[in-house]
Amino acid sequence: MFKRVAVTLALVVFGLLIALGSGVVAQTNPPANQTVSNQVNDIDRAYMMTAAEAGVANIQMGQLALQRGTSPQVKQFAQAEINEQQTVSNELKRIAPRVRVNLPTTPGMKYQAALRRLSQLSGQQFDQAYLSEGGINAHLENAATFQREAAFGQNPDLIRLANAGLPIINQHFTTASSLTNYRFAQVPQRFNGSTGTPASQNPQPIAPRSAQ
């Protein structure tokens, strides 16, 4: 009788130890989907840094266009661009602490140079220059950055952000191309003050189309 009770108690204790051990393991190891969402590869990191830096610059360019732009279409486009970049920026800021990435908060040198040049222009020349830099160049670069992340990234949240951004990038690029009659790999005007460039001195007015 005593042996039977002892055996029963031993089995109960053993069962409790197994249960406690399973609980500790469950608490120590997070769910698989949470682990994946906290991981990033080099493509993810590059995407976050590049997109964040471009976003800061394009928001500042858009704000400048709202102040200095003369065409209603340019101001519409600038506001749509600010909205686009703020959406991406908010998502990156939400993800960054979880994946331990410190996002840039100021524009890089090339963007600073473009902003300085834009701030020196006015009238139709400013409108054309802004659409060239903030519309054409910015979205050509963004398309490559977002496509690379969508194809080769690891983090599912970042991949979703890239996939969601690509149609908007395409839409804004198409709008800027229509407003400037841009053709791929073509420089329609110069905005650096060089001589011998009549097009930069007499830019064509913006066509009366709505920015989307």
Side-chain angles (χ1 to χ4, degrees):
M1 179 69 178
F2 176 77
K3 289 183 178 180
R4 187 178 302 168
V5 173
V7 170
T8 303
L9 288 173
L11 289 174
V12 170
V13 171
F14 181 73
L16 287 173
L17 289 174
I18 293 292
L20 289 173
S22 299
V24 170
V25 171
Q27 293 175 5
T28 303
N29 297 327
N33 58 347
Q34 182 180 345
T35 302
V36 172
S37 69
N38 290 344
Q39 293 178 350
V40 290
N41 62 14
D42 289 341
I43 297 290
D44 294 324
R45 291 188 188 90
Y47 167 69
M48 295 185 73
M49 300 298 287
T50 303
E53 186 178 67
V56 173
N58 289 320
I59 287 173
Q60 291 185 12
M61 277 191 282
Q63 291 169 340
L64 186 63
L66 291 178
Q67 297 170 7
R68 302 178 69 90
T70 59
S71 164
Q73 289 76 30
V74 166
K75 292 189 175 185
Q76 269 188 304
F77 182 87
Q79 187 60 62
E81 179 64 13
I82 291 170
N83 295 343
E84 172 197 355
Q85 297 297 341
Q86 285 180 335
T87 298
V88 174
S89 176
N90 290 340
E91 280 299 295
L92 291 175
K93 289 176 181 177
R94 180 182 67 82
I95 297 169
R98 191 173 70 234
V99 297
R100 298 180 181 179
V101 171
N102 294 320
L103 299 174
T105 57
T106 57
M109 293 181 64
K110 69 177 180 180
Y111 298 115
Q112 292 178 24
L115 282 162
R116 283 195 300 270
R117 186 67 189 111
L118 282 171
S119 67
Q120 297 168 358
L121 303 176
S122 60
Q124 291 181 5
Q125 192 175 59
F126 173 88
D127 290 349
Q128 293 284 343
Y130 168 68
L131 288 174
S132 178
E133 179 59 24
I136 303 299
N137 294 343
H139 289 88
L140 284 173
E141 292 178 350
N142 283 350
T145 299
F146 278 60
Q147 285 172 344
R148 186 175 297 112
E149 172 61 25
F152 301 112
Q154 174 182 357
N155 185 279
D157 291 335
L158 294 173
I159 293 170
R160 278 193 292 270
L161 180 60
N163 279 315
L166 282 169
I168 302 173
I169 291 170
N170 180 61
Q171 182 184 25
H172 288 186
F173 175 78
T174 301
T175 299
S177 298
S178 298
L179 290 172
T180 59
N181 295 318
Y182 174 77
R183 297 296 178 269
F184 182 72
Q186 170 187 331
V187 180
Q189 298 181 40
R190 294 176 64 86
F191 305 101
N192 61 1
S194 299
T195 58
T197 52
S200 67
Q201 299 169 5
N202 299 291
Q204 296 298 314
I206 301 297
R209 290 185 58 141
S210 315
Q212 301 186 12

